[in-house]
Amino acid sequence: MFKLKRKYIFAASAVILFSIIAFIVFLYPHSDTKVIKLGSLDNYTPIALNDKTITYNYLSNNDALTIGSYNIDLQKENNIVSADNFYITYGMPAQIQNKVYLPITLNNMEHKLIQIDMTQNTHKTVFTDNNSEPFDSVSTMNDSIFMLSGNTDKNGIYSSYIRKYNDTTKQMEPCIREESIGKEKGKIIKSFACHNDRIYTVTEEKNGSDKDIYINVYDGREFTLLNKLNFNETIKSYILNNDIVQFYLFGEYIYIRDFSDTGIIGHITENSIKDMLALPQLRIAYNSRNTNDDYYVFFMREGNEIYILDMKNDDLRKSILHLSENESIRNAISDGNNICVSILDDSNTDSYVTKETYIYSYEDLLKSSN
């Protein structure tokens, strides 16, 4: 989740809409769909969903980031760890089995990767770094965790690199690297994602005023370059003008969110990527487990629209979540079978306040769409 000690507001860019929308359905929290209401979770931000457990975080009164585990059956929370002197984390968590990994940065610019065991309600600091610029971007593959970082050496050479955590040495070891002179000439890895034994890097290439951006595809074991995917002009313009906050790849589709808070769903065809849908505040119901799911869900933050991407049929469906006056979607996360949705109280204009939190099953959402 994007959390800062100060509130940031992103200006929405112009809307460019290229959509494949099958039909509109209406979803009611109190209808015949099997919805679970999570009352005691409303004060927190869910960041990972796994079976009967939700990992959450929140800022305490003294600005410490507190991370905890919520038992869905018991509807009971348990705070696990607090990070004092917290500054920022806008990276999405990554999950391996029942362990959730969350990167955070402290006020002294110390970077930590924290592991939360969702079944044991324990934590440990996996990795600490003071000598790099981690971008708070992590991903998992084959029970391994990868992290994007950057660093400038004494000669002014800027290196951006993907690092893999080594369980033996307890260090993050570089496996993919790009270099540039400063950040103006050369190649920079802006973001990355792991999927099906492949690592995908969003790479920006600069030569003076000339800029290009594309995706490099690497073998996930040998880290050799396999292929290059080119964005169409629409996606390329968004990224080059606004940079990347979030990148996610699943099957033949990608999701990118830029710093103007525009979300883009793209479709990979051969070696090119076309935009299917590009909207301000379009978010993905993020699945930290990095699994191959049949459906992926997207939502309009501070709206009531939900989009369901059917991977088997290459079909994007639009749904309307029926909310009362002064309610909208604050956030949603997924485990591939269910989504946990936080409902925003729009009547409180001073700060974002979660009014209610629900869990919807994909099965029930799809039944509602027939």
Side-chain angles (χ1 to χ4, degrees), residues 82-93:
S82 288
D84 296 324
N85 301 314
F86 168 72
Y87 176 62
I88 187 175
T89 176
Y90 55 73
M92 306 301 291

Side-chain angles (χ1 to χ4, degrees), residues 8-20:
Y8 281 69
I9 300 175
F10 292 109
S13 66
V15 176
I16 299 179
L17 176 61
F18 294 86
S19 60
I20 302 172

Side-chain angles (χ1 to χ4, degrees), residues 71-172:
N71 186 298
I72 296 173
D73 288 336
L74 299 177
Q75 297 213 3
K76 182 179 179 181
E77 67 275 10
N78 179 48
N79 292 339
I80 297 175
V81 58
S82 288
D84 296 324
N85 301 314
F86 168 72
Y87 176 62
I88 187 175
T89 176
Y90 55 73
M92 306 301 291
Q95 186 174 335
I96 299 175
Q97 297 177 2
N98 293 318
K99 295 180 175 61
V100 175
Y101 297 83
L102 181 67
I104 65 170
T105 301
L106 305 182
N107 286 332
N108 60 2
M109 301 313 294
E110 178 183 6
H111 309 284
K112 289 187 175 183
L113 185 62
I114 295 177
Q115 179 198 89
I116 304 296
D117 189 316
M118 298 175 72
T119 56
Q120 301 297 322
N121 287 331
T122 59
H123 81 281
K124 69 177 182 179
T125 298
V126 174
F127 178 70
T128 301
D129 196 0
N130 292 295
N131 300 315
S132 69
E133 304 170 14
F135 303 136
D136 286 335
S137 182
V138 293
S139 188
T140 59
M141 181 171 54
N142 300 325
D143 290 340
S144 296
I145 188 160
F146 295 81
M147 185 175 186
L148 174 60
S149 302
N151 196 10
T152 302
D153 67 17
K154 61 182 180 181
N155 297 316
I157 302 298
Y158 180 78
S159 297
S160 53
Y161 42 88
I162 309 296
R163 295 190 283 181
K164 178 183 178 181
Y165 183 70
N166 186 316
D167 285 320
T168 302
T169 65
K170 307 302 180 184
Q171 296 295 316
M172 299 291 288

Side-chain angles (χ1 to χ4, degrees), residues 27-42 45-56 69-76 118 285 297 306 321 323 329 331-343 354-366 368:
L27 309 174
Y28 298 86
H30 305 291
S31 68
D32 293 334
T33 57
K34 299 175 183 178
V35 179
I36 301 174
K37 186 177 184 300
L38 307 175
S40 59
L41 188 63
D42 292 344
T45 299
I47 60 173
L49 177 63
N50 181 33
D51 297 328
K52 297 299 182 180
T53 307
I54 297 173
T55 302
Y56 63 83
S69 179
Y70 181 91
N71 186 298
I72 296 173
D73 288 336
L74 299 177
Q75 297 213 3
K76 182 179 179 181
M118 298 175 72
V297 174
I306 290 179
L321 187 66
L323 302 174
I329 302 172
N331 190 50
I333 58 173
S334 168
D335 66 358
N337 298 305
N338 305 280
I339 60 171
C340 178
V341 182
S342 301
I343 305 300
T354 298
K355 183 177 182 179
E356 293 173 320
T357 305
Y358 296 98
I359 290 181
Y360 299 86
S361 72
Y362 280 20
E363 180 182 354
D364 285 327
L365 296 181
L366 290 167
S368 300

Side-chain angles (χ1 to χ4, degrees), residues 95-362:
Q95 186 174 335
I96 299 175
Q97 297 177 2
N98 293 318
K99 295 180 175 61
V100 175
Y101 297 83
L102 181 67
I104 65 170
T105 301
L106 305 182
N107 286 332
N108 60 2
M109 301 313 294
E110 178 183 6
H111 309 284
K112 289 187 175 183
L113 185 62
I114 295 177
Q115 179 198 89
I116 304 296
D117 189 316
M118 298 175 72
T119 56
Q120 301 297 322
N121 287 331
T122 59
H123 81 281
K124 69 177 182 179
T125 298
V126 174
F127 178 70
T128 301
D129 196 0
N130 292 295
N131 300 315
S132 69
E133 304 170 14
F135 303 136
D136 286 335
S137 182
V138 293
S139 188
T140 59
M141 181 171 54
N142 300 325
D143 290 340
S144 296
I145 188 160
F146 295 81
M147 185 175 186
L148 174 60
S149 302
N151 196 10
T152 302
D153 67 17
K154 61 182 180 181
N155 297 316
I157 302 298
Y158 180 78
S159 297
S160 53
Y161 42 88
I162 309 296
R163 295 190 283 181
K164 178 183 178 181
Y165 183 70
N166 186 316
D167 285 320
T168 302
T169 65
K170 307 302 180 184
Q171 296 295 316
M172 299 291 288
E173 299 177 352
C175 53
I176 298 172
R177 181 187 299 270
E178 297 286 6
E179 292 185 347
S180 64
I181 301 174
K183 297 183 182 181
E184 300 304 321
K185 185 177 181 179
K187 298 178 181 179
I188 299 175
I189 301 173
K190 307 296 290 187
S191 191
F192 85 108
C194 298
H195 183 70
N196 287 350
D197 292 325
R198 298 288 184 267
I199 298 176
Y200 298 79
T201 66
V202 181
T203 302
E204 182 179 87
E205 187 171 354
K206 293 183 179 182
N207 186 6
S209 60
D210 294 331
K211 293 193 297 184
D212 193 13
I213 195 158
Y214 46 82
I215 293 178
N216 276 333
V217 185
Y218 293 88
D219 180 271
R221 298 181 185 274
E222 301 297 327
F223 312 120
T224 53
L225 181 63
L226 300 176
N227 197 11
K228 176 182 176 182
L229 306 176
N230 295 301
F231 295 112
N232 70 358
E233 290 303 318
T234 300
I235 302 178
K236 185 182 295 186
S237 177
Y238 270 117
I239 301 174
L240 288 177
N241 290 327
N242 300 296
D243 219 335
I244 298 176
V245 175
Q246 186 180 1
F247 169 56
Y248 198 52
L249 188 141
F250 38 100
E252 297 180 348
Y253 296 88
I254 69 165
Y255 170 78
I256 288 180
R257 181 160 59 93
D258 65 22
F259 273 96
S260 75
D261 206 19
T262 293
I264 304 168
I265 303 173
H267 187 205
I268 303 171
T269 304
E270 295 181 348
N271 291 326
S272 64
I273 305 172
K274 300 178 181 179
D275 54 307
M276 294 174 58
L277 187 66
L279 292 172
Q281 295 191 300
L282 176 66
R283 303 288 183 91
I284 186 172
Y286 179 73
N287 182 355
S288 60
R289 297 189 305 161
N290 197 15
T291 53
N292 288 305
D293 302 328
D294 293 332
Y295 303 95
Y296 290 85
V297 174
F298 308 84
F299 63 96
M300 294 298 297
R301 192 166 191 258
E302 299 185 63
N304 64 349
E305 298 92 349
I306 290 179
Y307 296 85
I308 304 173
L309 179 60
D310 183 339
M311 299 291 287
K312 292 182 179 179
N313 298 304
D314 290 328
D315 187 22
L316 184 62
R317 310 174 184 182
K318 181 181 178 182
S319 305
I320 303 299
L321 187 66
H322 182 76
L323 302 174
S324 62
E325 188 177 3
N326 293 324
E327 290 183 342
S328 63
I329 302 172
R330 178 185 184 183
N331 190 50
I333 58 173
S334 168
D335 66 358
N337 298 305
N338 305 280
I339 60 171
C340 178
V341 182
S342 301
I343 305 300
L344 186 66
D345 182 1
D346 289 331
S347 64
N348 189 330
T349 58
D350 294 330
S351 61
Y352 286 126
V353 176
T354 298
K355 183 177 182 179
E356 293 173 320
T357 305
Y358 296 98
I359 290 181
Y360 299 86
S361 72
Y362 280 20

